[in-house]
Amino acid sequence: MKGPTMLVLEVMSSPVVTVRTDASLKAAIALLERHDVSAMPVVNMDGQIVGVVSEADVIRELVVPDQRTFESPVPMTAALFAQSVADVMTTHPITVTPETDLAVATELMTSSAIKSLPVVDQGRVVGMVSRRDVIRVLAKPDELIEGEIDDLFRQVGHDWLVDVTDGLVAVDGPTGASEQRLAEALARTVPGVVALRFERGPI
């Protein structure tokens, strides 16, 4: 059967670290390092997203030429070190919503150099989803996935057998099409599931 889908809200990091447009680059660097993130949403005074600032943005501006590698001195100005986040941020960020299919967000990240995407709800940032978040979900141990699916089945009164190998869920027990649809719907809610199959077809 087709692999289960996930929504961005199920894997995104929240709460999210943000920075103001008027913050200095030095302050932005400190936030990136302290929270171990590669990018941050930039917000205005009303908390609305207006851009994104990344490691690449600040590195590009603050790692300056080494004078020893040039025959003639490279002009340096104090203005370079006085820039704010607003001067270097990406002003038209690609964003997703909490209800965006994770596959769509993953495609956006893998088809570009973007490592993470702001998750926005009505203009306000509610999280970030990154390549690392997706990897974390895919790396979820099989025994944890199996345990979560087992618990879901028991909550609805079914003691179906579940076996998970490399994210592939095999379910034995549902005896009709309606039971299989229920089992699939429940299993699809568990992050880390790659695909699902039934040991026997509907009766």
Side-chain angles (χ1 to χ4, degrees):
M1 303 184 69
K2 184 179 180 181
T5 60
M6 285 180 282
L7 301 180
V8 165
L9 65 88
E10 297 176 282
V11 303
M12 69 183 190
S13 300
S14 182
V16 63
V17 180
T18 62
V19 65
R20 289 272 297 275
T21 53
D22 57 355
S24 68
L25 293 190
K26 188 70 174 180
I29 291 170
L31 286 172
L32 289 168
E33 194 279 330
R34 183 184 312 139
H35 296 280
D36 192 25
V37 293
S38 61
M40 297 180 295
V42 182
V43 297
N44 60 19
M45 293 182 63
D46 297 322
Q48 299 285 314
I49 184 170
V50 293
V52 169
V53 64
S54 69
E55 293 172 327
D57 295 327
V58 296
I59 288 173
R60 187 181 303 115
E61 295 301 320
L62 294 185
V63 177
V64 298
D66 189 324
Q67 301 288 351
R68 294 172 296 179
T69 63
F70 295 88
E71 292 183 6
S72 301
V74 178
M76 304 295 290
T77 65
L80 176 66
F81 301 99
Q83 292 177 340
S84 68
V85 168
D87 295 318
V88 302
M89 70 182 188
T90 299
T91 55
H92 299 287
I94 299 174
T95 64
V96 292
T97 70
E99 290 75 29
T100 298
D101 190 321
L102 184 60
V104 173
T106 300
E107 173 63 23
L108 288 171
M109 290 186 286
T110 57
S111 63
S112 66
I114 299 172
K115 295 182 179 180
S116 57
L117 299 168
V119 185
V120 177
D121 185 13
Q122 297 183 346
R124 293 187 177 275
V125 182
V126 295
M128 287 285 284
V129 61
S130 67
R131 298 179 188 180
R132 188 181 303 175
D133 293 324
V134 178
I135 290 296
R136 187 180 299 115
V137 169
L138 295 177
K140 190 174 184 179
D142 289 337
E143 57 269 23
L144 293 183
I145 298 173
E146 185 175 310
E148 289 183 28
I149 296 175
D150 271 332
D151 289 342
L152 290 173
F153 287 170
R154 291 194 183 97
Q155 288 172 22
V156 297
H158 291 289
D159 194 23
W160 297 324
L161 298 178
V162 180
D163 182 68
V164 182
T165 303
D166 294 332
L168 171 63
V169 179
V171 181
D172 190 9
T175 56
S178 61
E179 286 193 353
Q180 288 195 356
R181 285 194 296 270
L182 173 61
E184 181 180 5
L186 292 171
R188 285 164 64 95
T189 67
V190 177
V193 172
V194 174
L196 182 144
R197 64 180 174 84
F198 294 100
E199 295 296 343
R200 50 182 167 174
I203 297 175

